[in-house]
Amino acid sequence: PILVKSKVFETSGHSLHYSENMFNLEVEKEKFYLKPMNCPEATMIYSYKLRSYKDLPLRLSEIGRLHRNELSGVLGGLFRVRQMTMDDAHIFCTQEQIQKEITQVLKLIKDFYKLFNLKASYYLSTMPDKALGEIGLWRKCEKSLEEALKKNKLPFQVKEKDGAFYGPKIDIHIQDSLGREWQLATIQLDFNQPERFNLTYEGQDGKKHRPVMIHRAIFGTFERFIGVLIEHTSGKFPLWLAPVQVKILTVSDKNKKFAKEVYEKLLKEKVRVELDDRSESIGRKVRDSQLEHVNYVLTIGDKEQKSKTLAIRTLNGKVNFGVKINTFIKDILEEIEKKITSSSR
C-alpha cells in the first residue's frame, strides 16, 4: 500500500534519517506516511514465511507509486516531481551470490540504455555522514560494488558520501541533449534493512543466516526517464518508440472513406496510427502533425483516392507520392522490426 503506518519507517530508519522528505498524516490518532520508498514493504513480502537457502536469490519487482516532499524550489517538469513511479526491484540473496546478481543487473542496465542510444556513466556512491549501521559493514558493501564494476570493466568515478543512508550504491547517469546529467538507474547494496527487519534464511548447515538485500531501479523513475528521452530526441522519437507512428490527413470530406480504409489496415497491423479528418485546411493539419513530430504523415486527397496510393511525408519534410498501401505497410513494419531486433542483440 501507498499509505503506511509510521512504525514500518521507524524500523527501517527512514523516519530518523529521511523524515524531512516524507509526507505524514494522522488517521484516527495514528501516524501514517505516504511511502517514499518501496524497500520496507519488500522485506515484509520476504518475511511472510520461513525462507531457505534454496529460495535465494529471491527477486521481487514492483512498479511502485512513491511520494517525496521535495522543496518547491527544486521541482522541475518531469525531472523532479513529488509523486513518482519507480520500476523498483529488491533482490534477497546470500553473500556468495552478490557478485553474480549485481553483474546481471549491470548487464540489464547496459542492454536497456543501448536500446535508447543513451550513454551511461557509472558512479560509486559511498557512506554518507548520516547513515545506519557499522562502518565495517559499509566498507564491505563498498568493496563489493567496486569489485563488480571492475569485474565488468566499467569505468567509474567515486561520489564520496553520496550513498543512501542504509547502504552504498552504483548510480548510473545519463546526459541529455542540453548537456545536463541526470541520475536514473541505481544499484544499492544493503546489509542494514535485513538486520533491522530481522530477515533470515536457513542455510545448508541448518542454522539461521542473514540475507543481503540489493535494491535496483532501471528507469530510475518513469517521469524522469521520459523527460530525458524527450530532451535526448528533441521530441523526435524513433519510429519503434513513437507514441503516434503514422498520421493520416484528409484534404476534404470526400476523402474520409478511403482514409478510413487505410487507417483500418494500419491498425490491423498494430501500427500506432491516428486519423485527422477535421474540417481544417490541409496546410493546418500538416503543420500540426509536424509540431507533433509524427514519423510518417499520409496525405489523402482526390488523386490518392482515385489511384489508391499514398502521399507520404517523413520527419525531414521529404514527400513521396504514389506509394502503394501494401508497400508502405511492409516497409514500416520492417523498419520497426529491424530496430527492435538489432537493439536487443
Side-chain angles (χ1 to χ4, degrees):
I2 290 173
L3 192 61
V4 184
K5 288 184 177 181
S6 62
K7 184 180 177 181
V8 175
F9 291 111
E10 288 165 12
T11 302
S12 69
H14 285 84
S15 59
L16 178 63
H17 293 273
Y18 202 73
S19 59
E20 68 274 14
N21 297 106
M22 298 166 69
F23 290 103
N24 65 77
L25 62 157
E26 192 175 287
V27 181
E28 296 181 348
K29 297 183 179 180
E30 188 167 8
K31 190 175 181 181
F32 287 79
Y33 287 109
L34 294 177
K35 66 174 180 179
M37 298 179 184
N38 296 311
C39 31
E41 290 170 307
T43 67
M44 294 181 177
I45 302 299
Y46 178 93
S47 61
Y48 88 93
K49 70 174 187 177
L50 294 173
R51 301 289 181 180
S52 157
Y53 70 95
K54 295 178 182 178
D55 297 321
L56 305 182
L58 176 66
R59 307 182 187 98
L60 306 176
S61 65
E62 175 182 5
I63 304 300
R65 184 64 54 84
L66 306 177
H67 295 81
R68 296 178 185 174
N69 190 13
E70 303 280 8
L71 297 173
S72 58
V74 300
L75 297 175
L78 290 169
F79 290 103
R80 191 173 289 275
V81 293
R82 287 191 175 121
Q83 177 181 275
M84 64 206 74
T85 311
M86 185 164 303
D87 64 320
D88 228 343
H90 296 90
I91 302 166
F92 298 90
C93 64
T94 68
Q95 292 194 30
E96 293 74 25
Q97 293 168 334
I98 289 174
Q99 287 302 315
K100 183 178 179 181
E101 291 303 308
I102 292 178
T103 292
Q104 288 182 171
V105 176
L106 285 169
K107 183 181 185 305
L108 177 60
I109 289 169
K110 285 191 290 184
D111 290 347
F112 177 79
Y113 285 109
K114 181 183 176 185
L115 185 64
F116 295 94
N117 294 319
L118 292 168
K119 186 179 179 182
S121 301
Y122 296 83
Y123 294 85
L124 174 60
S125 299
T126 61
M127 181 178 180
D129 293 327
K130 198 176 175 181
L132 288 175
E134 301 173 0
I135 292 179
L137 275 177
W138 273 87
R139 299 302 176 235
K140 186 175 183 180
C141 288
E142 289 167 1
K143 187 177 180 182
S144 292
L145 292 179
E146 183 178 354
E147 184 181 336
L149 285 164
K150 289 179 176 177
K151 182 179 177 183
N152 286 277
K153 299 178 181 178
L154 295 171
F156 66 94
Q157 297 178 45
V158 176
K159 289 201 293 185
E160 296 288 352
K161 300 185 178 183
D162 204 40
F165 69 84
Y166 48 80
K169 55 182 180 168
I170 296 171
D171 284 332
I172 289 82
H173 287 224
I174 296 297
Q175 196 173 79
D176 67 23
S177 61
L178 300 178
R180 299 174 299 183
E181 267 203 358
W182 297 99
Q183 189 252 303
L184 296 178
T186 186
I187 306 170
Q188 302 168 3
L189 189 55
D190 183 0
F191 283 80
N192 281 301
Q193 296 299 311
E195 184 74 33
R196 294 177 75 88
F197 283 95
N198 193 30
L199 305 184
T200 62
Y201 68 91
E202 188 174 275
Q204 285 181 283
D205 57 5
K207 296 178 182 179
K208 296 290 183 184
H209 297 269
R210 192 77 71 199
V212 179
M213 194 172 179
I214 299 172
H215 311 242
R216 77 103 180 102
I218 308 301
F219 286 99
T221 70
F222 281 88
E223 292 80 6
R224 180 175 288 181
F225 182 77
I226 290 170
V228 169
L229 206 55
I230 291 169
E231 291 284 5
H232 183 67
T233 61
S234 299
K236 298 177 182 178
F237 291 110
L239 180 65
W240 68 273
L241 184 62
V244 179
Q245 296 168 315
V246 177
K247 200 157 198 173
I248 303 171
L249 315 180
T250 53
V251 174
S252 71
D253 289 348
K254 292 187 299 181
N255 311 129
K256 284 186 177 181
K257 184 179 178 182
F258 179 53
K260 184 70 173 175
E261 289 175 14
V262 177
Y263 172 81
E264 294 292 348
K265 284 187 176 183
L266 287 164
L267 206 60
K268 186 178 179 182
E269 297 294 337
K270 297 184 172 58
V271 175
R272 295 189 289 276
V273 58
E274 287 184 355
L275 172 59
D276 185 353
D277 57 3
R278 294 175 295 162
S279 297
E280 293 280 0
S281 70
I282 190 62
R284 172 68 183 273
K285 292 180 183 180
V286 169
R287 281 194 299 275
D288 288 348
S289 64
Q290 287 177 320
L291 288 173
E292 293 169 6
H293 302 306
V294 178
N295 299 76
Y296 291 103
V297 178
L298 313 184
T299 303
I300 293 180
D302 293 343
K303 182 181 176 182
E304 285 74 32
Q305 184 167 311
K306 183 178 180 181
S307 62
K308 299 296 183 184
T309 60
L310 306 171
I312 302 170
R313 182 183 297 271
T314 59
L315 263 177
N316 61 14
K318 184 180 177 182
V319 182
N320 296 317
F321 296 96
V323 180
K324 293 181 179 179
I325 300 170
N326 290 339
T327 300
F328 173 68
I329 292 175
K330 178 176 176 289
D331 290 345
I332 193 174
L333 293 178
E334 284 180 357
E335 185 179 344
I336 294 168
E337 180 63 27
K338 182 179 178 182
K339 172 61 183 176
I340 293 174
T341 303
S342 63
S343 298
S344 63
R345 285 173 185 165

